[in-house]
Amino acid sequence: MKLGLTISVLITVLSGSVASASAAEESQAFEDAIKQECSILFDREFSRYRLHIDPYGAKSYGIAFAKGKLRSSSGLRAPDSSMICIYDKRSGRAEISQSFNSERLNYSLTATRPVSEVSLGLRVTK
């Protein structure tokens, strides 16, 4: 009886670790897919950039953000630009936004609304 209980506990513990390893592998595969598809598009637009991937995305989409120097920018003092990449989980296709000036975006968000409104996407009324 004790041996049977020990075996069932061992199986339960091992199956949980396999499930968590599987979830971690699935999450990594998701991030790799977004990185691969979005990098192809970002490489066409940027001469150099930093890529940030939302590890969870939305229900149907993955999201990546790139910030760096556009190929179309001239001069060493050209401002950083940003683009957003949306990855369709079902089709595996990615699309990118138009570029926008990162410094200007940071200024307009901080200058016009509190962070709580920006991060929640809500307007606070009193």
PDB file of all heavy atoms in Angstrom, residues 41-75:
ATOM      1  N   LEU A  41      11.047  41.628 -41.232  1.00  0.00           N
ATOM      2  CA  LEU A  41      10.458  42.924 -41.609  1.00  0.00           C
ATOM      3  C   LEU A  41      11.260  44.091 -41.060  1.00  0.00           C
ATOM      4  O   LEU A  41      11.480  45.089 -41.762  1.00  0.00           O
ATOM      5  CB  LEU A  41       9.011  42.988 -41.117  1.00  0.00           C
ATOM      6  CG  LEU A  41       8.080  41.907 -41.686  1.00  0.00           C
ATOM      7  CD1 LEU A  41       6.725  41.967 -41.011  1.00  0.00           C
ATOM      8  CD2 LEU A  41       7.962  42.027 -43.185  1.00  0.00           C
ATOM      9  N   PHE A  42      11.705  43.998 -39.811  1.00  0.00           N
ATOM     10  CA  PHE A  42      12.482  45.088 -39.209  1.00  0.00           C
ATOM     11  C   PHE A  42      13.833  45.254 -39.906  1.00  0.00           C
ATOM     12  O   PHE A  42      14.321  46.376 -40.046  1.00  0.00           O
ATOM     13  CB  PHE A  42      12.688  44.847 -37.719  1.00  0.00           C
ATOM     14  CG  PHE A  42      11.453  45.043 -36.867  1.00  0.00           C
ATOM     15  CD1 PHE A  42      11.234  44.227 -35.767  1.00  0.00           C
ATOM     16  CD2 PHE A  42      10.533  46.038 -37.143  1.00  0.00           C
ATOM     17  CE1 PHE A  42      10.112  44.400 -34.964  1.00  0.00           C
ATOM     18  CE2 PHE A  42       9.404  46.223 -36.349  1.00  0.00           C
ATOM     19  CZ  PHE A  42       9.200  45.407 -35.252  1.00  0.00           C
ATOM     20  N   ASP A  43      14.445  44.159 -40.332  1.00  0.00           N
ATOM     21  CA  ASP A  43      15.742  44.238 -41.014  1.00  0.00           C
ATOM     22  C   ASP A  43      15.657  45.067 -42.290  1.00  0.00           C
ATOM     23  O   ASP A  43      16.632  45.702 -42.692  1.00  0.00           O
ATOM     24  CB  ASP A  43      16.272  42.845 -41.348  1.00  0.00           C
ATOM     25  CG  ASP A  43      16.781  42.090 -40.128  1.00  0.00           C
ATOM     26  OD1 ASP A  43      16.993  42.726 -39.073  1.00  0.00           O
ATOM     27  OD2 ASP A  43      16.959  40.858 -40.230  1.00  0.00           O
ATOM     28  N   ARG A  44      14.496  45.069 -42.931  1.00  0.00           N
ATOM     29  CA  ARG A  44      14.313  45.858 -44.159  1.00  0.00           C
ATOM     30  C   ARG A  44      14.243  47.356 -43.865  1.00  0.00           C
ATOM     31  O   ARG A  44      14.559  48.167 -44.726  1.00  0.00           O
ATOM     32  CB  ARG A  44      13.019  45.448 -44.856  1.00  0.00           C
ATOM     33  CG  ARG A  44      13.028  44.042 -45.380  1.00  0.00           C
ATOM     34  CD  ARG A  44      11.690  43.701 -45.980  1.00  0.00           C
ATOM     35  NE  ARG A  44      11.635  42.285 -46.303  1.00  0.00           N
ATOM     36  CZ  ARG A  44      10.521  41.633 -46.531  1.00  0.00           C
ATOM     37  NH1 ARG A  44       9.355  42.264 -46.470  1.00  0.00           N
ATOM     38  NH2 ARG A  44      10.553  40.347 -46.806  1.00  0.00           N
ATOM     39  N   GLU A  45      13.813  47.716 -42.671  1.00  0.00           N
ATOM     40  CA  GLU A  45      13.560  49.119 -42.332  1.00  0.00           C
ATOM     41  C   GLU A  45      14.669  49.774 -41.509  1.00  0.00           C
ATOM     42  O   GLU A  45      14.905  50.960 -41.633  1.00  0.00           O
ATOM     43  CB  GLU A  45      12.244  49.236 -41.562  1.00  0.00           C
ATOM     44  CG  GLU A  45      11.037  48.696 -42.308  1.00  0.00           C
ATOM     45  CD  GLU A  45      10.711  49.489 -43.564  1.00  0.00           C
ATOM     46  OE1 GLU A  45      10.928  50.716 -43.581  1.00  0.00           O
ATOM     47  OE2 GLU A  45      10.227  48.876 -44.533  1.00  0.00           O
ATOM     48  N   PHE A  46      15.297  49.006 -40.632  1.00  0.00           N
ATOM     49  CA  PHE A  46      16.287  49.559 -39.700  1.00  0.00           C
ATOM     50  C   PHE A  46      17.706  49.175 -40.108  1.00  0.00           C
ATOM     51  O   PHE A  46      17.954  48.063 -40.565  1.00  0.00           O
ATOM     52  CB  PHE A  46      16.055  49.006 -38.280  1.00  0.00           C
ATOM     53  CG  PHE A  46      14.837  49.549 -37.593  1.00  0.00           C
ATOM     54  CD1 PHE A  46      13.662  48.810 -37.563  1.00  0.00           C
ATOM     55  CD2 PHE A  46      14.862  50.773 -36.953  1.00  0.00           C
ATOM     56  CE1 PHE A  46      12.535  49.289 -36.914  1.00  0.00           C
ATOM     57  CE2 PHE A  46      13.740  51.269 -36.302  1.00  0.00           C
ATOM     58  CZ  PHE A  46      12.573  50.528 -36.286  1.00  0.00           C
ATOM     59  N   SER A  47      18.653  50.111 -39.890  1.00  0.00           N
ATOM     60  CA  SER A  47      20.063  49.766 -40.060  1.00  0.00           C
ATOM     61  C   SER A  47      20.572  49.074 -38.795  1.00  0.00           C
ATOM     62  O   SER A  47      21.407  48.183 -38.860  1.00  0.00           O
ATOM     63  CB  SER A  47      20.901  51.012 -40.368  1.00  0.00           C
ATOM     64  OG  SER A  47      20.728  51.984 -39.360  1.00  0.00           O
ATOM     65  N   ARG A  48      20.040  49.485 -37.651  1.00  0.00           N
ATOM     66  CA  ARG A  48      20.307  48.790 -36.372  1.00  0.00           C
ATOM     67  C   ARG A  48      19.130  49.087 -35.439  1.00  0.00           C
ATOM     68  O   ARG A  48      18.524  50.157 -35.502  1.00  0.00           O
ATOM     69  CB  ARG A  48      21.635  49.192 -35.761  1.00  0.00           C
ATOM     70  CG  ARG A  48      21.729  50.608 -35.281  1.00  0.00           C
ATOM     71  CD  ARG A  48      23.087  50.856 -34.597  1.00  0.00           C
ATOM     72  NE  ARG A  48      23.081  52.116 -33.926  1.00  0.00           N
ATOM     73  CZ  ARG A  48      23.433  53.269 -34.486  1.00  0.00           C
ATOM     74  NH1 ARG A  48      23.843  53.310 -35.737  1.00  0.00           N
ATOM     75  NH2 ARG A  48      23.380  54.375 -33.782  1.00  0.00           N
ATOM     76  N   TYR A  49      18.822  48.115 -34.594  1.00  0.00           N
ATOM     77  CA  TYR A  49      17.670  48.269 -33.705  1.00  0.00           C
ATOM     78  C   TYR A  49      17.744  47.301 -32.536  1.00  0.00           C
ATOM     79  O   TYR A  49      18.507  46.332 -32.563  1.00  0.00           O
ATOM     80  CB  TYR A  49      16.351  48.056 -34.476  1.00  0.00           C
ATOM     81  CG  TYR A  49      16.187  46.678 -35.063  1.00  0.00           C
ATOM     82  CD1 TYR A  49      15.530  45.672 -34.359  1.00  0.00           C
ATOM     83  CD2 TYR A  49      16.672  46.372 -36.321  1.00  0.00           C
ATOM     84  CE1 TYR A  49      15.370  44.411 -34.893  1.00  0.00           C
ATOM     85  CE2 TYR A  49      16.522  45.119 -36.862  1.00  0.00           C
ATOM     86  CZ  TYR A  49      15.862  44.132 -36.154  1.00  0.00           C
ATOM     87  OH  TYR A  49      15.709  42.871 -36.688  1.00  0.00           O
ATOM     88  N   ARG A  50      16.944  47.603 -31.522  1.00  0.00           N
ATOM     89  CA  ARG A  50      16.766  46.709 -30.381  1.00  0.00           C
ATOM     90  C   ARG A  50      15.345  46.160 -30.473  1.00  0.00           C
ATOM     91  O   ARG A  50      14.398  46.913 -30.696  1.00  0.00           O
ATOM     92  CB  ARG A  50      16.965  47.453 -29.070  1.00  0.00           C
ATOM     93  CG  ARG A  50      18.408  47.857 -28.824  1.00  0.00           C
ATOM     94  CD  ARG A  50      18.596  48.628 -27.517  1.00  0.00           C
ATOM     95  NE  ARG A  50      17.693  49.766 -27.339  1.00  0.00           N
ATOM     96  CZ  ARG A  50      17.848  50.959 -27.904  1.00  0.00           C
ATOM     97  NH1 ARG A  50      18.859  51.174 -28.709  1.00  0.00           N
ATOM     98  NH2 ARG A  50      16.988  51.929 -27.661  1.00  0.00           N
ATOM     99  N   LEU A  51      15.210  44.878 -30.288  1.00  0.00           N
ATOM    100  CA  LEU A  51      13.918  44.213 -30.406  1.00  0.00           C
ATOM    101  C   LEU A  51      13.420  43.821 -29.024  1.00  0.00           C
ATOM    102  O   LEU A  51      14.173  43.245 -28.226  1.00  0.00           O
ATOM    103  CB  LEU A  51      14.067  42.964 -31.281  1.00  0.00           C
ATOM    104  CG  LEU A  51      12.834  42.115 -31.511  1.00  0.00           C
ATOM    105  CD1 LEU A  51      11.759  42.904 -32.241  1.00  0.00           C
ATOM    106  CD2 LEU A  51      13.201  40.874 -32.306  1.00  0.00           C
ATOM    107  N   HIS A  52      12.173  44.138 -28.742  1.00  0.00           N
ATOM    108  CA  HIS A  52      11.535  43.775 -27.482  1.00  0.00           C
ATOM    109  C   HIS A  52      10.274  42.981 -27.820  1.00  0.00           C
ATOM    110  O   HIS A  52       9.433  43.463 -28.584  1.00  0.00           O
ATOM    111  CB  HIS A  52      11.168  45.021 -26.674  1.00  0.00           C
ATOM    112  CG  HIS A  52      12.325  45.942 -26.475  1.00  0.00           C
ATOM    113  ND1 HIS A  52      13.263  45.756 -25.481  1.00  0.00           N
ATOM    114  CD2 HIS A  52      12.718  47.040 -27.168  1.00  0.00           C
ATOM    115  CE1 HIS A  52      14.166  46.718 -25.559  1.00  0.00           C
ATOM    116  NE2 HIS A  52      13.859  47.508 -26.575  1.00  0.00           N
ATOM    117  N   ILE A  53      10.140  41.791 -27.260  1.00  0.00           N
ATOM    118  CA  ILE A  53       9.005  40.921 -27.555  1.00  0.00           C
ATOM    119  C   ILE A  53       8.158  40.764 -26.309  1.00  0.00           C
ATOM    120  O   ILE A  53       8.675  40.483 -25.232  1.00  0.00           O
ATOM    121  CB  ILE A  53       9.486  39.540 -28.042  1.00  0.00           C
ATOM    122  CG1 ILE A  53      10.275  39.695 -29.337  1.00  0.00           C
ATOM    123  CG2 ILE A  53       8.305  38.593 -28.241  1.00  0.00           C
ATOM    124  CD1 ILE A  53      10.947  38.430 -29.810  1.00  0.00           C
ATOM    125  N   ASP A  54       6.855  40.954 -26.467  1.00  0.00           N
ATOM    126  CA  ASP A  54       5.922  40.669 -25.380  1.00  0.00           C
ATOM    127  C   ASP A  54       5.825  39.143 -25.295  1.00  0.00           C
ATOM    128  O   ASP A  54       5.388  38.499 -26.244  1.00  0.00           O
ATOM    129  CB  ASP A  54       4.549  41.276 -25.704  1.00  0.00           C
ATOM    130  CG  ASP A  54       3.498  40.970 -24.652  1.00  0.00           C
ATOM    131  OD1 ASP A  54       3.793  40.218 -23.694  1.00  0.00           O
ATOM    132  OD2 ASP A  54       2.370  41.466 -24.796  1.00  0.00           O
ATOM    133  N   PRO A  55       6.255  38.535 -24.187  1.00  0.00           N
ATOM    134  CA  PRO A  55       6.318  37.066 -24.119  1.00  0.00           C
ATOM    135  C   PRO A  55       4.952  36.383 -24.135  1.00  0.00           C
ATOM    136  O   PRO A  55       4.870  35.193 -24.366  1.00  0.00           O
ATOM    137  CB  PRO A  55       7.041  36.799 -22.797  1.00  0.00           C
ATOM    138  CG  PRO A  55       6.871  38.033 -21.999  1.00  0.00           C
ATOM    139  CD  PRO A  55       6.723  39.164 -22.971  1.00  0.00           C
ATOM    140  N   TYR A  56       3.885  37.139 -23.920  1.00  0.00           N
ATOM    141  CA  TYR A  56       2.553  36.531 -23.860  1.00  0.00           C
ATOM    142  C   TYR A  56       1.678  36.929 -25.040  1.00  0.00           C
ATOM    143  O   TYR A  56       0.893  36.124 -25.524  1.00  0.00           O
ATOM    144  CB  TYR A  56       1.854  36.918 -22.554  1.00  0.00           C
ATOM    145  CG  TYR A  56       2.696  36.564 -21.368  1.00  0.00           C
ATOM    146  CD1 TYR A  56       3.359  37.556 -20.647  1.00  0.00           C
ATOM    147  CD2 TYR A  56       2.870  35.242 -20.975  1.00  0.00           C
ATOM    148  CE1 TYR A  56       4.163  37.234 -19.563  1.00  0.00           C
ATOM    149  CE2 TYR A  56       3.677  34.918 -19.899  1.00  0.00           C
ATOM    150  CZ  TYR A  56       4.312  35.916 -19.198  1.00  0.00           C
ATOM    151  OH  TYR A  56       5.113  35.604 -18.137  1.00  0.00           O
ATOM    152  N   GLY A  57       1.786  38.150 -25.487  1.00  0.00           N
ATOM    153  CA  GLY A  57       0.953  38.610 -26.580  1.00  0.00           C
ATOM    154  C   GLY A  57      -0.502  38.716 -26.174  1.00  0.00           C
ATOM    155  O   GLY A  57      -0.844  38.737 -24.999  1.00  0.00           O
ATOM    156  N   ALA A  58      -1.361  38.775 -27.159  1.00  0.00           N
ATOM    157  CA  ALA A  58      -2.797  38.802 -26.927  1.00  0.00           C
ATOM    158  C   ALA A  58      -3.355  37.426 -27.290  1.00  0.00           C
ATOM    159  O   ALA A  58      -2.598  36.525 -27.654  1.00  0.00           O
ATOM    160  CB  ALA A  58      -3.427  39.894 -27.790  1.00  0.00           C
ATOM    161  N   LYS A  59      -4.657  37.292 -27.207  1.00  0.00           N
ATOM    162  CA  LYS A  59      -5.273  35.993 -27.481  1.00  0.00           C
ATOM    163  C   LYS A  59      -4.941  35.490 -28.887  1.00  0.00           C
ATOM    164  O   LYS A  59      -4.617  34.320 -29.058  1.00  0.00           O
ATOM    165  CB  LYS A  59      -6.786  36.094 -27.304  1.00  0.00           C
ATOM    166  CG  LYS A  59      -7.507  34.797 -27.485  1.00  0.00           C
ATOM    167  CD  LYS A  59      -8.985  34.950 -27.207  1.00  0.00           C
ATOM    168  CE  LYS A  59      -9.703  33.615 -27.365  1.00  0.00           C
ATOM    169  NZ  LYS A  59     -11.130  33.755 -27.126  1.00  0.00           N
ATOM    170  N   SER A  60      -5.008  36.362 -29.873  1.00  0.00           N
ATOM    171  CA  SER A  60      -4.797  35.956 -31.264  1.00  0.00           C
ATOM    172  C   SER A  60      -3.496  36.464 -31.877  1.00  0.00           C
ATOM    173  O   SER A  60      -3.156  36.078 -32.993  1.00  0.00           O
ATOM    174  CB  SER A  60      -5.958  36.456 -32.127  1.00  0.00           C
ATOM    175  OG  SER A  60      -7.181  35.953 -31.665  1.00  0.00           O
ATOM    176  N   TYR A  61      -2.796  37.356 -31.160  1.00  0.00           N
ATOM    177  CA  TYR A  61      -1.636  38.012 -31.759  1.00  0.00           C
ATOM    178  C   TYR A  61      -0.448  38.053 -30.816  1.00  0.00           C
ATOM    179  O   TYR A  61      -0.603  38.138 -29.610  1.00  0.00           O
ATOM    180  CB  TYR A  61      -1.985  39.458 -32.159  1.00  0.00           C
ATOM    181  CG  TYR A  61      -3.086  39.514 -33.177  1.00  0.00           C
ATOM    182  CD1 TYR A  61      -4.398  39.728 -32.796  1.00  0.00           C
ATOM    183  CD2 TYR A  61      -2.811  39.320 -34.521  1.00  0.00           C
ATOM    184  CE1 TYR A  61      -5.422  39.757 -33.734  1.00  0.00           C
ATOM    185  CE2 TYR A  61      -3.818  39.356 -35.467  1.00  0.00           C
ATOM    186  CZ  TYR A  61      -5.127  39.570 -35.068  1.00  0.00           C
ATOM    187  OH  TYR A  61      -6.124  39.587 -35.992  1.00  0.00           O
ATOM    188  N   GLY A  62       0.736  38.041 -31.416  1.00  0.00           N
ATOM    189  CA  GLY A  62       1.969  38.306 -30.708  1.00  0.00           C
ATOM    190  C   GLY A  62       2.396  39.725 -31.038  1.00  0.00           C
ATOM    191  O   GLY A  62       2.048  40.252 -32.103  1.00  0.00           O
ATOM    192  N   ILE A  63       3.145  40.346 -30.148  1.00  0.00           N
ATOM    193  CA  ILE A  63       3.501  41.750 -30.322  1.00  0.00           C
ATOM    194  C   ILE A  63       4.999  41.935 -30.072  1.00  0.00           C
ATOM    195  O   ILE A  63       5.532  41.435 -29.083  1.00  0.00           O
ATOM    196  CB  ILE A  63       2.701  42.634 -29.349  1.00  0.00           C
ATOM    197  CG1 ILE A  63       1.206  42.411 -29.565  1.00  0.00           C
ATOM    198  CG2 ILE A  63       3.081  44.096 -29.508  1.00  0.00           C
ATOM    199  CD1 ILE A  63       0.341  42.906 -28.449  1.00  0.00           C
ATOM    200  N   ALA A  64       5.638  42.657 -30.978  1.00  0.00           N
ATOM    201  CA  ALA A  64       7.050  42.997 -30.816  1.00  0.00           C
ATOM    202  C   ALA A  64       7.219  44.486 -31.101  1.00  0.00           C
ATOM    203  O   ALA A  64       6.444  45.081 -31.855  1.00  0.00           O
ATOM    204  CB  ALA A  64       7.913  42.175 -31.759  1.00  0.00           C
ATOM    205  N   PHE A  65       8.245  45.064 -30.496  1.00  0.00           N
ATOM    206  CA  PHE A  65       8.520  46.495 -30.604  1.00  0.00           C
ATOM    207  C   PHE A  65       9.995  46.651 -30.941  1.00  0.00           C
ATOM    208  O   PHE A  65      10.840  46.010 -30.318  1.00  0.00           O
ATOM    209  CB  PHE A  65       8.187  47.142 -29.252  1.00  0.00           C
ATOM    210  CG  PHE A  65       8.534  48.589 -29.154  1.00  0.00           C
ATOM    211  CD1 PHE A  65       7.688  49.549 -29.684  1.00  0.00           C
ATOM    212  CD2 PHE A  65       9.688  49.002 -28.512  1.00  0.00           C
ATOM    213  CE1 PHE A  65       7.984  50.897 -29.574  1.00  0.00           C
ATOM    214  CE2 PHE A  65      10.009  50.337 -28.402  1.00  0.00           C
ATOM    215  CZ  PHE A  65       9.145  51.294 -28.936  1.00  0.00           C
ATOM    216  N   ALA A  66      10.298  47.461 -31.934  1.00  0.00           N
ATOM    217  CA  ALA A  66      11.698  47.716 -32.299  1.00  0.00           C
ATOM    218  C   ALA A  66      11.968  49.212 -32.231  1.00  0.00           C
ATOM    219  O   ALA A  66      11.121  50.035 -32.579  1.00  0.00           O
ATOM    220  CB  ALA A  66      11.986  47.209 -33.701  1.00  0.00           C
ATOM    221  N   LYS A  67      13.157  49.544 -31.763  1.00  0.00           N
ATOM    222  CA  LYS A  67      13.582  50.933 -31.660  1.00  0.00           C
ATOM    223  C   LYS A  67      15.021  51.024 -32.158  1.00  0.00           C
ATOM    224  O   LYS A  67      15.872  50.240 -31.730  1.00  0.00           O
ATOM    225  CB  LYS A  67      13.498  51.392 -30.206  1.00  0.00           C
ATOM    226  CG  LYS A  67      13.887  52.828 -29.973  1.00  0.00           C
ATOM    227  CD  LYS A  67      13.701  53.207 -28.519  1.00  0.00           C
ATOM    228  CE  LYS A  67      14.107  54.642 -28.282  1.00  0.00           C
ATOM    229  NZ  LYS A  67      13.952  55.042 -26.887  1.00  0.00           N
ATOM    230  N   GLY A  68      15.272  51.949 -33.085  1.00  0.00           N
ATOM    231  CA  GLY A  68      16.624  52.098 -33.604  1.00  0.00           C
ATOM    232  C   GLY A  68      16.700  53.099 -34.727  1.00  0.00           C
ATOM    233  O   GLY A  68      15.830  53.956 -34.874  1.00  0.00           O
ATOM    234  N   LYS A  69      17.759  52.991 -35.532  1.00  0.00           N
ATOM    235  CA  LYS A  69      18.011  53.904 -36.643  1.00  0.00           C
ATOM    236  C   LYS A  69      17.440  53.311 -37.930  1.00  0.00           C
ATOM    237  O   LYS A  69      17.745  52.183 -38.298  1.00  0.00           O
ATOM    238  CB  LYS A  69      19.509  54.132 -36.836  1.00  0.00           C
ATOM    239  CG  LYS A  69      20.205  54.725 -35.629  1.00  0.00           C
ATOM    240  CD  LYS A  69      19.773  56.147 -35.390  1.00  0.00           C
ATOM    241  CE  LYS A  69      20.538  56.722 -34.197  1.00  0.00           C
ATOM    242  NZ  LYS A  69      19.995  57.972 -33.749  1.00  0.00           N
ATOM    243  N   LEU A  70      16.604  54.101 -38.595  1.00  0.00           N
ATOM    244  CA  LEU A  70      16.031  53.676 -39.867  1.00  0.00           C
ATOM    245  C   LEU A  70      17.076  53.740 -40.975  1.00  0.00           C
ATOM    246  O   LEU A  70      17.971  54.591 -40.948  1.00  0.00           O
ATOM    247  CB  LEU A  70      14.848  54.569 -40.246  1.00  0.00           C
ATOM    248  CG  LEU A  70      13.607  54.444 -39.383  1.00  0.00           C
ATOM    249  CD1 LEU A  70      12.592  55.506 -39.787  1.00  0.00           C
ATOM    250  CD2 LEU A  70      13.012  53.051 -39.513  1.00  0.00           C
ATOM    251  N   ARG A  71      16.962  52.868 -41.949  1.00  0.00           N
ATOM    252  CA  ARG A  71      17.854  52.917 -43.111  1.00  0.00           C
ATOM    253  C   ARG A  71      17.672  54.226 -43.874  1.00  0.00           C
ATOM    254  O   ARG A  71      18.623  54.743 -44.456  1.00  0.00           O
ATOM    255  CB  ARG A  71      17.578  51.738 -44.037  1.00  0.00           C
ATOM    256  CG  ARG A  71      17.974  50.412 -43.461  1.00  0.00           C
ATOM    257  CD  ARG A  71      17.795  49.291 -44.472  1.00  0.00           C
ATOM    258  NE  ARG A  71      18.124  48.013 -43.872  1.00  0.00           N
ATOM    259  CZ  ARG A  71      19.345  47.556 -43.689  1.00  0.00           C
ATOM    260  NH1 ARG A  71      20.378  48.287 -44.057  1.00  0.00           N
ATOM    261  NH2 ARG A  71      19.555  46.386 -43.129  1.00  0.00           N
ATOM    262  N   SER A  72      16.469  54.756 -43.873  1.00  0.00           N
ATOM    263  CA  SER A  72      16.191  55.996 -44.605  1.00  0.00           C
ATOM    264  C   SER A  72      16.697  57.247 -43.884  1.00  0.00           C
ATOM    265  O   SER A  72      16.718  58.326 -44.465  1.00  0.00           O
ATOM    266  CB  SER A  72      14.687  56.127 -44.848  1.00  0.00           C
ATOM    267  OG  SER A  72      13.995  56.161 -43.616  1.00  0.00           O
ATOM    268  N   SER A  73      17.113  57.130 -42.622  1.00  0.00           N
ATOM    269  CA  SER A  73      17.639  58.278 -41.864  1.00  0.00           C
ATOM    270  C   SER A  73      19.033  58.611 -42.342  1.00  0.00           C
ATOM    271  O   SER A  73      19.818  57.734 -42.685  1.00  0.00           O
ATOM    272  CB  SER A  73      17.706  57.955 -40.364  1.00  0.00           C
ATOM    273  OG  SER A  73      16.436  57.722 -39.860  1.00  0.00           O
ATOM    274  N   SER A  74      19.338  59.888 -42.327  1.00  0.00           N
ATOM    275  CA  SER A  74      20.683  60.289 -42.735  1.00  0.00           C
ATOM    276  C   SER A  74      21.360  61.008 -41.580  1.00  0.00           C
ATOM    277  O   SER A  74      20.722  61.698 -40.800  1.00  0.00           O
ATOM    278  CB  SER A  74      20.610  61.200 -43.965  1.00  0.00           C
ATOM    279  OG  SER A  74      19.853  62.342 -43.671  1.00  0.00           O
ATOM    280  N   GLY A  75      22.634  60.817 -41.479  1.00  0.00           N
ATOM    281  CA  GLY A  75      23.414  61.499 -40.456  1.00  0.00           C
ATOM    282  C   GLY A  75      23.470  60.724 -39.150  1.00  0.00           C
ATOM    283  O   GLY A  75      22.630  59.890 -38.852  1.00  0.00           O
TER     284      GLY A  75
END
